[in-house]
Amino acid sequence: MSLVLDAAAQDLLFREARTANTFSDEPVTEEQVQAIYDLVKFGPTAFNQTPLRITLVRSPEARERLVKHMAEGNQAKTAAAPLVAILSADNEFHEELPQLLPHFPQAKDAFFSERPVREQSALVNSALQAAYFIIGVRAAGLAAGPMTGLDFAGLQKEFLDGDHTPLMVINIGKPGEDAWFPRSPRLEFDQVITTV
């Protein structure tokens, strides 16, 4: 075996993990979310930037406001999930770079003084962090249901501001009955990997 991670952990994080479409009623605690974040915050990003922002939707009122922005096929499962997270990119992440990159504090102004550059960097790096977050949810023994079928402009207006770009909504919890669709195919090694 070429991997150091044991087979059970590989299954938990990748091989057996799926996008959940139903969830049990078991709540997702603040302690679980804290543990997930404390693990995934160490995932690498460019310039150690941390543009990902996570808005936890817990109250019934906020859930109702969110569900109306979801695509029809995503509404029922979003309404029923124990926890829902809105993931967004903070386009003003550069303000934190002096703290996050103390050996190169001038990176804030040297590389990220222009908004279009920040938006592109925030999008790429928050997408990386979103992937880490999904793996962290799985590492906590929970299932994630990431979705991009939604009204992004409506979601931004309802929950965010002009400095935050919505990326996705993730339903989180213990999988419920009939939670999984059949596993879809994946590309093989030779279809993806090229050596030059």
Side-chain angles (χ1 to χ4, degrees), residues 1-122:
M1 165 119 346
S2 299
L3 300 175
V4 174
L5 199 63
D6 69 58
Q10 293 172 39
D11 287 343
L12 177 71
L13 300 179
F14 294 101
R15 285 195 291 258
E16 297 299 324
R18 305 276 185 84
T19 295
N21 292 289
T22 67
F23 296 89
S24 76
D25 293 334
E26 186 176 330
V28 177
T29 67
E30 287 296 318
E31 292 78 15
Q32 287 172 302
V33 176
Q34 181 76 52
I36 291 165
Y37 179 73
D38 286 342
L39 174 66
V40 303
K41 69 184 179 184
F42 294 108
T45 59
F47 292 94
N48 200 36
Q49 62 186 269
T50 308
L52 182 69
R53 297 295 177 265
I54 302 169
T55 303
L56 300 178
V57 181
R58 288 198 181 273
S59 74
E61 298 79 18
R63 186 73 62 101
E64 188 176 322
R65 289 168 42 217
L66 172 62
V67 167
K68 71 181 183 184
H69 296 292
M70 303 304 295
E72 186 176 340
N74 292 331
Q75 289 181 349
K77 58 188 170 184
T78 302
L83 179 62
V84 182
I86 300 169
L87 273 57
S88 62
D90 181 355
N91 296 305
E92 298 299 314
F93 70 88
H94 69 304
E95 296 294 345
E96 298 155 347
L97 285 181
Q99 171 193 347
L100 297 173
L101 205 64
H103 63 280
F104 188 28
Q106 61 270 34
K108 173 188 172 219
D109 298 315
F111 293 99
F112 300 109
S113 61
E114 296 179 17
R115 176 74 179 228
V117 173
R118 289 198 306 275
E119 288 177 351
Q120 177 64 30
S121 190

Side-chain angles (χ1 to χ4, degrees), residues 93-168:
F93 70 88
H94 69 304
E95 296 294 345
E96 298 155 347
L97 285 181
Q99 171 193 347
L100 297 173
L101 205 64
H103 63 280
F104 188 28
Q106 61 270 34
K108 173 188 172 219
D109 298 315
F111 293 99
F112 300 109
S113 61
E114 296 179 17
R115 176 74 179 228
V117 173
R118 289 198 306 275
E119 288 177 351
Q120 177 64 30
S121 190
L123 182 64
V124 170
N125 288 282
S126 62
L128 276 173
Q129 290 185 285
Y132 303 145
F133 182 74
I134 292 168
I135 299 302
V137 167
R138 292 173 174 181
L142 301 170
M147 300 166 291
T148 56
L150 56 105
D151 171 9
F152 282 92
L155 179 76
Q156 182 174 25
K157 185 176 180 182
E158 188 86 40
F159 289 95
L160 306 171
D161 60 30
D163 288 333
H164 293 81
T165 303
L167 301 171
M168 67 187 70

